[in-house]
mmCIF file of all heavy atoms in Angstrom:
data_model
loop_
_atom_site.group_PDB
_atom_site.id
_atom_site.type_symbol
_atom_site.label_atom_id
_atom_site.label_comp_id
_atom_site.label_asym_id
_atom_site.label_seq_id
_atom_site.Cartn_x
_atom_site.Cartn_y
_atom_site.Cartn_z
ATOM 1 N N SER A 8 0.857 -1.178 0.000
ATOM 2 C CA SER A 8 0.000 0.000 0.000
ATOM 3 C C SER A 8 0.897 1.233 0.000
ATOM 4 O O SER A 8 1.735 1.391 0.893
ATOM 5 C CB SER A 8 -0.903 -0.004 1.240
ATOM 6 O OG SER A 8 -1.658 1.192 1.324
ATOM 7 N N TYR A 9 0.691 2.135 -0.975
ATOM 8 C CA TYR A 9 1.627 3.252 -1.128
ATOM 9 C C TYR A 9 0.941 4.404 -1.849
ATOM 10 O O TYR A 9 -0.130 4.249 -2.433
ATOM 11 C CB TYR A 9 2.845 2.804 -1.948
ATOM 12 C CG TYR A 9 2.545 2.595 -3.419
ATOM 13 C CD1 TYR A 9 2.953 3.522 -4.369
ATOM 14 C CD2 TYR A 9 1.814 1.487 -3.854
ATOM 15 C CE1 TYR A 9 2.656 3.347 -5.722
ATOM 16 C CE2 TYR A 9 1.509 1.310 -5.193
ATOM 17 C CZ TYR A 9 1.933 2.246 -6.117
ATOM 18 O OH TYR A 9 1.618 2.083 -7.447
ATOM 19 N N ALA A 10 1.577 5.556 -1.808
ATOM 20 C CA ALA A 10 1.149 6.704 -2.600
ATOM 21 C C ALA A 10 1.978 6.759 -3.875
ATOM 22 O O ALA A 10 3.126 6.312 -3.912
ATOM 23 C CB ALA A 10 1.324 8.004 -1.809
ATOM 24 N N TRP A 11 1.378 7.333 -4.921
ATOM 25 C CA TRP A 11 2.043 7.369 -6.219
ATOM 26 C C TRP A 11 3.443 7.979 -6.134
ATOM 27 O O TRP A 11 4.377 7.544 -6.813
ATOM 28 C CB TRP A 11 1.183 8.159 -7.209
ATOM 29 C CG TRP A 11 1.847 8.365 -8.531
ATOM 30 C CD1 TRP A 11 2.511 9.480 -8.968
ATOM 31 C CD2 TRP A 11 1.944 7.417 -9.587
ATOM 32 N NE1 TRP A 11 2.993 9.285 -10.234
ATOM 33 C CE2 TRP A 11 2.664 8.028 -10.629
ATOM 34 C CE3 TRP A 11 1.483 6.105 -9.746
ATOM 35 C CZ2 TRP A 11 2.942 7.359 -11.825
ATOM 36 C CZ3 TRP A 11 1.752 5.453 -10.944
ATOM 37 C CH2 TRP A 11 2.471 6.077 -11.955
ATOM 38 N N GLU A 12 3.613 8.974 -5.292
ATOM 39 C CA GLU A 12 4.912 9.647 -5.188
ATOM 40 C C GLU A 12 6.006 8.723 -4.659
ATOM 41 O O GLU A 12 7.192 9.014 -4.811
ATOM 42 C CB GLU A 12 4.795 10.879 -4.280
ATOM 43 C CG GLU A 12 3.952 11.991 -4.855
ATOM 44 C CD GLU A 12 2.466 11.809 -4.598
ATOM 45 O OE1 GLU A 12 2.057 10.726 -4.104
ATOM 46 O OE2 GLU A 12 1.698 12.749 -4.914
ATOM 47 N N ASN A 13 5.621 7.625 -4.028
ATOM 48 C CA ASN A 13 6.584 6.657 -3.501
ATOM 49 C C ASN A 13 6.684 5.410 -4.376
ATOM 50 O O ASN A 13 7.095 4.348 -3.911
ATOM 51 C CB ASN A 13 6.191 6.246 -2.074
ATOM 52 C CG ASN A 13 6.111 7.420 -1.127
ATOM 53 O OD1 ASN A 13 5.068 7.675 -0.524
ATOM 54 N ND2 ASN A 13 7.206 8.162 -0.984
ATOM 55 N N CYS A 14 6.331 5.542 -5.659
ATOM 56 C CA CYS A 14 6.291 4.368 -6.527
ATOM 57 C C CYS A 14 7.671 3.752 -6.754
ATOM 58 O O CYS A 14 7.785 2.541 -6.959
ATOM 59 C CB CYS A 14 5.623 4.694 -7.859
ATOM 60 S SG CYS A 14 6.492 5.903 -8.868
ATOM 61 N N ALA A 15 8.735 4.550 -6.705
ATOM 62 C CA ALA A 15 10.078 3.990 -6.904
ATOM 63 C C ALA A 15 10.401 2.989 -5.799
ATOM 64 O O ALA A 15 10.935 1.896 -6.063
ATOM 65 C CB ALA A 15 11.121 5.101 -6.949
ATOM 66 N N LEU A 16 10.076 3.343 -4.569
ATOM 67 C CA LEU A 16 10.294 2.413 -3.460
ATOM 68 C C LEU A 16 9.371 1.206 -3.571
ATOM 69 O O LEU A 16 9.791 0.071 -3.318
ATOM 70 C CB LEU A 16 10.073 3.128 -2.125
ATOM 71 C CG LEU A 16 10.133 2.249 -0.868
ATOM 72 C CD1 LEU A 16 11.440 1.483 -0.793
ATOM 73 C CD2 LEU A 16 9.924 3.105 0.381
ATOM 74 N N ALA A 17 8.120 1.428 -3.954
ATOM 75 C CA ALA A 17 7.188 0.311 -4.116
ATOM 76 C C ALA A 17 7.711 -0.680 -5.150
ATOM 77 O O ALA A 17 7.697 -1.901 -4.934
ATOM 78 C CB ALA A 17 5.803 0.827 -4.512
ATOM 79 N N ASP A 18 8.191 -0.172 -6.292
ATOM 80 C CA ASP A 18 8.742 -1.047 -7.335
ATOM 81 C C ASP A 18 9.924 -1.842 -6.811
ATOM 82 O O ASP A 18 10.050 -3.052 -7.046
ATOM 83 C CB ASP A 18 9.192 -0.222 -8.544
ATOM 84 C CG ASP A 18 8.043 0.451 -9.271
ATOM 85 O OD1 ASP A 18 6.877 0.136 -8.969
ATOM 86 O OD2 ASP A 18 8.315 1.298 -10.141
ATOM 87 N N TRP A 19 10.818 -1.157 -6.124
ATOM 88 C CA TRP A 19 12.021 -1.802 -5.590
ATOM 89 C C TRP A 19 11.650 -2.893 -4.590
ATOM 90 O O TRP A 19 12.228 -3.989 -4.606
ATOM 91 C CB TRP A 19 12.898 -0.739 -4.939
ATOM 92 C CG TRP A 19 14.214 -1.233 -4.424
ATOM 93 C CD1 TRP A 19 15.352 -1.438 -5.142
ATOM 94 C CD2 TRP A 19 14.527 -1.575 -3.065
ATOM 95 N NE1 TRP A 19 16.363 -1.887 -4.312
ATOM 96 C CE2 TRP A 19 15.878 -1.972 -3.034
ATOM 97 C CE3 TRP A 19 13.804 -1.565 -1.879
ATOM 98 C CZ2 TRP A 19 16.517 -2.370 -1.865
ATOM 99 C CZ3 TRP A 19 14.430 -1.966 -0.702
ATOM 100 C CH2 TRP A 19 15.772 -2.361 -0.698
ATOM 101 N N LEU A 20 10.681 -2.600 -3.738
ATOM 102 C CA LEU A 20 10.253 -3.591 -2.748
ATOM 103 C C LEU A 20 9.667 -4.830 -3.415
ATOM 104 O O LEU A 20 9.933 -5.957 -2.996
ATOM 105 C CB LEU A 20 9.211 -2.978 -1.821
ATOM 106 C CG LEU A 20 9.690 -2.390 -0.497
ATOM 107 C CD1 LEU A 20 8.507 -1.834 0.276
ATOM 108 C CD2 LEU A 20 10.428 -3.429 0.331
ATOM 109 N N VAL A 21 8.842 -4.613 -4.442
ATOM 110 C CA VAL A 21 8.256 -5.754 -5.152
ATOM 111 C C VAL A 21 9.353 -6.661 -5.687
ATOM 112 O O VAL A 21 9.316 -7.889 -5.528
ATOM 113 C CB VAL A 21 7.338 -5.279 -6.294
ATOM 114 C CG1 VAL A 21 6.928 -6.453 -7.172
ATOM 115 C CG2 VAL A 21 6.103 -4.592 -5.735
ATOM 116 N N ARG A 22 10.349 -6.072 -6.321
ATOM 117 C CA ARG A 22 11.432 -6.871 -6.894
ATOM 118 C C ARG A 22 12.222 -7.605 -5.812
ATOM 119 O O ARG A 22 12.520 -8.803 -5.929
ATOM 120 C CB ARG A 22 12.354 -5.974 -7.709
ATOM 121 C CG ARG A 22 11.694 -5.404 -8.949
ATOM 122 C CD ARG A 22 12.635 -4.478 -9.709
ATOM 123 N NE ARG A 22 11.994 -3.963 -10.905
ATOM 124 C CZ ARG A 22 11.837 -2.675 -11.185
ATOM 125 N NH1 ARG A 22 12.255 -1.751 -10.335
ATOM 126 N NH2 ARG A 22 11.252 -2.300 -12.302
ATOM 127 N N GLN A 23 12.567 -6.898 -4.753
ATOM 128 C CA GLN A 23 13.375 -7.506 -3.698
ATOM 129 C C GLN A 23 12.634 -8.632 -2.994
ATOM 130 O O GLN A 23 13.206 -9.695 -2.721
ATOM 131 C CB GLN A 23 13.800 -6.432 -2.687
ATOM 132 C CG GLN A 23 14.721 -5.361 -3.241
ATOM 133 C CD GLN A 23 16.037 -5.930 -3.741
ATOM 134 O OE1 GLN A 23 16.617 -6.820 -3.125
ATOM 135 N NE2 GLN A 23 16.505 -5.420 -4.874
ATOM 136 N N LEU A 24 11.368 -8.424 -2.690
ATOM 137 C CA LEU A 24 10.600 -9.449 -1.997
ATOM 138 C C LEU A 24 10.313 -10.641 -2.906
ATOM 139 O O LEU A 24 10.270 -11.791 -2.458
ATOM 140 C CB LEU A 24 9.299 -8.852 -1.458
ATOM 141 C CG LEU A 24 9.482 -7.818 -0.338
ATOM 142 C CD1 LEU A 24 8.152 -7.149 -0.007
ATOM 143 C CD2 LEU A 24 10.076 -8.469 0.911
ATOM 144 N N THR A 25 10.111 -10.355 -4.186
ATOM 145 C CA THR A 25 9.896 -11.449 -5.134
ATOM 146 C C THR A 25 11.148 -12.308 -5.261
ATOM 147 O O THR A 25 11.065 -13.538 -5.345
ATOM 148 C CB THR A 25 9.490 -10.896 -6.514
ATOM 149 O OG1 THR A 25 8.294 -10.130 -6.365
ATOM 150 C CG2 THR A 25 9.220 -12.024 -7.499
ATOM 151 N N LEU A 26 12.301 -11.676 -5.271
ATOM 152 C CA LEU A 26 13.559 -12.426 -5.296
ATOM 153 C C LEU A 26 13.680 -13.355 -4.092
ATOM 154 O O LEU A 26 14.324 -14.409 -4.172
ATOM 155 C CB LEU A 26 14.750 -11.464 -5.332
ATOM 156 C CG LEU A 26 15.062 -10.819 -6.677
ATOM 157 C CD1 LEU A 26 16.101 -9.708 -6.518
ATOM 158 C CD2 LEU A 26 15.556 -11.855 -7.679
ATOM 159 N N GLN A 27 13.052 -12.969 -2.993
ATOM 160 C CA GLN A 27 13.093 -13.810 -1.792
ATOM 161 C C GLN A 27 12.039 -14.918 -1.819
ATOM 162 O O GLN A 27 11.959 -15.722 -0.890
ATOM 163 C CB GLN A 27 12.894 -12.933 -0.548
ATOM 164 C CG GLN A 27 14.015 -11.932 -0.319
ATOM 165 C CD GLN A 27 13.799 -11.108 0.932
ATOM 166 O OE1 GLN A 27 13.141 -11.532 1.884
ATOM 167 N NE2 GLN A 27 14.370 -9.912 0.961
ATOM 168 N N GLY A 28 11.201 -14.942 -2.865
ATOM 169 C CA GLY A 28 10.234 -16.021 -3.014
ATOM 170 C C GLY A 28 8.809 -15.664 -2.644
ATOM 171 O O GLY A 28 7.927 -16.530 -2.689
ATOM 172 N N TYR A 29 8.551 -14.402 -2.289
ATOM 173 C CA TYR A 29 7.196 -14.004 -1.911
ATOM 174 C C TYR A 29 6.366 -13.631 -3.138
ATOM 175 O O TYR A 29 6.888 -13.131 -4.129
ATOM 176 C CB TYR A 29 7.236 -12.805 -0.961
ATOM 177 C CG TYR A 29 7.939 -13.089 0.346
ATOM 178 C CD1 TYR A 29 9.215 -12.589 0.585
ATOM 179 C CD2 TYR A 29 7.329 -13.858 1.333
ATOM 180 C CE1 TYR A 29 9.872 -12.850 1.782
ATOM 181 C CE2 TYR A 29 7.974 -14.121 2.532
ATOM 182 C CZ TYR A 29 9.248 -13.617 2.747
ATOM 183 O OH TYR A 29 9.896 -13.879 3.928
ATOM 184 N N ARG A 30 5.064 -13.865 -3.043
ATOM 185 C CA ARG A 30 4.128 -13.329 -4.026
ATOM 186 C C ARG A 30 3.686 -11.955 -3.533
ATOM 187 O O ARG A 30 3.188 -11.831 -2.416
ATOM 188 C CB ARG A 30 2.906 -14.238 -4.197
ATOM 189 C CG ARG A 30 3.170 -15.478 -5.035
ATOM 190 C CD ARG A 30 1.867 -16.109 -5.466
ATOM 191 N NE ARG A 30 2.070 -17.251 -6.341
ATOM 192 C CZ ARG A 30 2.281 -17.169 -7.642
ATOM 193 N NH1 ARG A 30 2.316 -15.986 -8.216
ATOM 194 N NH2 ARG A 30 2.459 -18.242 -8.371
ATOM 195 N N VAL A 31 3.865 -10.949 -4.365
ATOM 196 C CA VAL A 31 3.612 -9.579 -3.932
ATOM 197 C C VAL A 31 2.590 -8.928 -4.850
ATOM 198 O O VAL A 31 2.728 -8.964 -6.069
ATOM 199 C CB VAL A 31 4.906 -8.744 -3.946
ATOM 200 C CG1 VAL A 31 4.668 -7.379 -3.327
ATOM 201 C CG2 VAL A 31 6.030 -9.477 -3.207
ATOM 202 N N TRP A 32 1.573 -8.324 -4.238
ATOM 203 C CA TRP A 32 0.598 -7.551 -4.994
ATOM 204 C C TRP A 32 0.936 -6.072 -4.887
ATOM 205 O O TRP A 32 1.067 -5.522 -3.798
ATOM 206 C CB TRP A 32 -0.815 -7.777 -4.452
ATOM 207 C CG TRP A 32 -1.555 -8.866 -5.133
ATOM 208 C CD1 TRP A 32 -1.390 -9.301 -6.401
ATOM 209 C CD2 TRP A 32 -2.608 -9.657 -4.576
ATOM 210 N NE1 TRP A 32 -2.267 -10.313 -6.684
ATOM 211 C CE2 TRP A 32 -3.021 -10.553 -5.575
ATOM 212 C CE3 TRP A 32 -3.231 -9.684 -3.332
ATOM 213 C CZ2 TRP A 32 -4.041 -11.478 -5.366
ATOM 214 C CZ3 TRP A 32 -4.245 -10.595 -3.126
ATOM 215 C CH2 TRP A 32 -4.647 -11.485 -4.137
ATOM 216 N N CYS A 33 1.068 -5.448 -6.040
ATOM 217 C CA CYS A 33 1.264 -4.005 -6.114
ATOM 218 C C CYS A 33 0.601 -3.575 -7.410
ATOM 219 O O CYS A 33 0.754 -4.251 -8.444
ATOM 220 C CB CYS A 33 2.751 -3.657 -6.122
ATOM 221 S SG CYS A 33 3.110 -1.900 -6.304
ATOM 222 N N ASP A 34 -0.139 -2.485 -7.401
ATOM 223 C CA ASP A 34 -0.957 -2.158 -8.565
ATOM 224 C C ASP A 34 -0.159 -1.802 -9.806
ATOM 225 O O ASP A 34 -0.715 -1.658 -10.884
ATOM 226 C CB ASP A 34 -1.949 -1.046 -8.230
ATOM 227 C CG ASP A 34 -1.272 0.262 -7.857
ATOM 228 O OD1 ASP A 34 -0.036 0.349 -7.911
ATOM 229 O OD2 ASP A 34 -1.989 1.209 -7.486
ATOM 230 N N ARG A 35 1.146 -1.685 -9.694
ATOM 231 C CA ARG A 35 1.979 -1.380 -10.857
ATOM 232 C C ARG A 35 2.415 -2.640 -11.604
ATOM 233 O O ARG A 35 3.038 -2.551 -12.659
ATOM 234 C CB ARG A 35 3.210 -0.593 -10.418
ATOM 235 C CG ARG A 35 2.867 0.833 -10.025
ATOM 236 C CD ARG A 35 4.009 1.513 -9.323
ATOM 237 N NE ARG A 35 5.224 1.598 -10.103
ATOM 238 C CZ ARG A 35 5.432 2.476 -11.110
ATOM 239 N NH1 ARG A 35 4.473 3.312 -11.461
ATOM 240 N NH2 ARG A 35 6.579 2.519 -11.733
ATOM 241 N N PHE A 36 2.094 -3.799 -11.082
ATOM 242 C CA PHE A 36 2.630 -5.017 -11.658
ATOM 243 C C PHE A 36 1.586 -6.116 -11.829
ATOM 244 O O PHE A 36 0.606 -6.177 -11.093
ATOM 245 C CB PHE A 36 3.741 -5.572 -10.765
ATOM 246 C CG PHE A 36 4.899 -4.646 -10.606
ATOM 247 C CD1 PHE A 36 5.057 -3.916 -9.446
ATOM 248 C CD2 PHE A 36 5.833 -4.486 -11.607
ATOM 249 C CE1 PHE A 36 6.117 -3.054 -9.277
ATOM 250 C CE2 PHE A 36 6.901 -3.629 -11.456
ATOM 251 C CZ PHE A 36 7.040 -2.913 -10.284
ATOM 252 N N MET A 37 1.877 -7.019 -12.763
ATOM 253 C CA MET A 37 1.153 -8.273 -12.878
ATOM 254 C C MET A 37 2.124 -9.383 -12.507
ATOM 255 O O MET A 37 3.297 -9.337 -12.854
ATOM 256 C CB MET A 37 0.638 -8.494 -14.302
ATOM 257 C CG MET A 37 -0.123 -9.802 -14.474
ATOM 258 S SD MET A 37 -0.678 -10.044 -16.182
ATOM 259 C CE MET A 37 -1.942 -8.804 -16.274
ATOM 260 N N MET A 38 1.636 -10.376 -11.789
ATOM 261 C CA MET A 38 2.510 -11.422 -11.278
ATOM 262 C C MET A 38 2.853 -12.452 -12.349
ATOM 263 O O MET A 38 2.293 -12.467 -13.432
ATOM 264 C CB MET A 38 1.844 -12.126 -10.093
ATOM 265 C CG MET A 38 1.477 -11.181 -8.966
ATOM 266 S SD MET A 38 2.882 -10.286 -8.295
ATOM 267 C CE MET A 38 3.796 -11.653 -7.576
ATOM 268 N N LEU A 39 3.790 -13.329 -12.010
ATOM 269 C CA LEU A 39 4.158 -14.423 -12.905
ATOM 270 C C LEU A 39 2.945 -15.266 -13.261
ATOM 271 O O LEU A 39 2.037 -15.431 -12.462
ATOM 272 C CB LEU A 39 5.196 -15.331 -12.223
ATOM 273 C CG LEU A 39 6.645 -14.865 -12.281
ATOM 274 C CD1 LEU A 39 7.502 -15.746 -11.388
ATOM 275 C CD2 LEU A 39 7.161 -14.923 -13.699
ATOM 276 N N GLY A 40 2.946 -15.792 -14.464
ATOM 277 C CA GLY A 40 1.868 -16.659 -14.888
ATOM 278 C C GLY A 40 0.598 -15.918 -15.241
ATOM 279 O O GLY A 40 -0.464 -16.510 -15.361
ATOM 280 N N GLY A 41 0.685 -14.577 -15.404
ATOM 281 C CA GLY A 41 -0.472 -13.804 -15.816
ATOM 282 C C GLY A 41 -1.433 -13.452 -14.710
ATOM 283 O O GLY A 41 -2.553 -13.037 -14.953
ATOM 284 N N GLU A 42 -1.009 -13.599 -13.457
ATOM 285 C CA GLU A 42 -1.889 -13.262 -12.344
ATOM 286 C C GLU A 42 -1.971 -11.744 -12.229
ATOM 287 O O GLU A 42 -0.990 -11.079 -11.940
ATOM 288 C CB GLU A 42 -1.345 -13.849 -11.042
ATOM 289 C CG GLU A 42 -2.204 -13.529 -9.845
ATOM 290 C CD GLU A 42 -1.558 -13.965 -8.544
ATOM 291 O OE1 GLU A 42 -0.380 -14.325 -8.554
ATOM 292 O OE2 GLU A 42 -2.254 -13.936 -7.526
ATOM 293 N N SER A 43 -3.137 -11.188 -12.453
ATOM 294 C CA SER A 43 -3.287 -9.739 -12.457
ATOM 295 C C SER A 43 -3.606 -9.218 -11.066
ATOM 296 O O SER A 43 -3.983 -9.973 -10.171
ATOM 297 C CB SER A 43 -4.391 -9.323 -13.426
ATOM 298 O OG SER A 43 -5.623 -9.878 -13.023
ATOM 299 N N PHE A 44 -3.464 -7.898 -10.930
ATOM 300 C CA PHE A 44 -3.822 -7.272 -9.669
ATOM 301 C C PHE A 44 -5.323 -7.443 -9.446
ATOM 302 O O PHE A 44 -6.109 -7.317 -10.378
ATOM 303 C CB PHE A 44 -3.456 -5.780 -9.713
ATOM 304 C CG PHE A 44 -3.475 -5.122 -8.375
ATOM 305 C CD1 PHE A 44 -2.421 -5.289 -7.496
ATOM 306 C CD2 PHE A 44 -4.537 -4.345 -7.989
ATOM 307 C CE1 PHE A 44 -2.426 -4.689 -6.250
ATOM 308 C CE2 PHE A 44 -4.568 -3.733 -6.741
ATOM 309 C CZ PHE A 44 -3.499 -3.909 -5.881
#
């Protein structure tokens, strides 16, 4: 959950947490396998 002005941090967090094996929902992304927000 974030504000648009903090989208750079939100993007970075999604990538870092995904690298650790977590499934992460963030409205800027669609997950692996076509799983949409």
Side-chain angles (χ1 to χ4, degrees):
S8 175
Y9 72 105
W11 174 261
E12 292 84 351
N13 302 122
C14 64
L16 174 55
D18 294 350
W19 184 82
L20 265 180
V21 170
R22 293 178 179 123
Q23 295 299 320
L24 293 172
T25 301
L26 282 170
Q27 295 181 27
Y29 298 105
R30 283 195 176 277
V31 187
W32 267 333
C33 177
D34 63 3
R35 288 168 59 77
F36 299 103
M37 180 181 289
M38 303 301 294
L39 278 171
E42 180 187 11
S43 61
F44 194 79

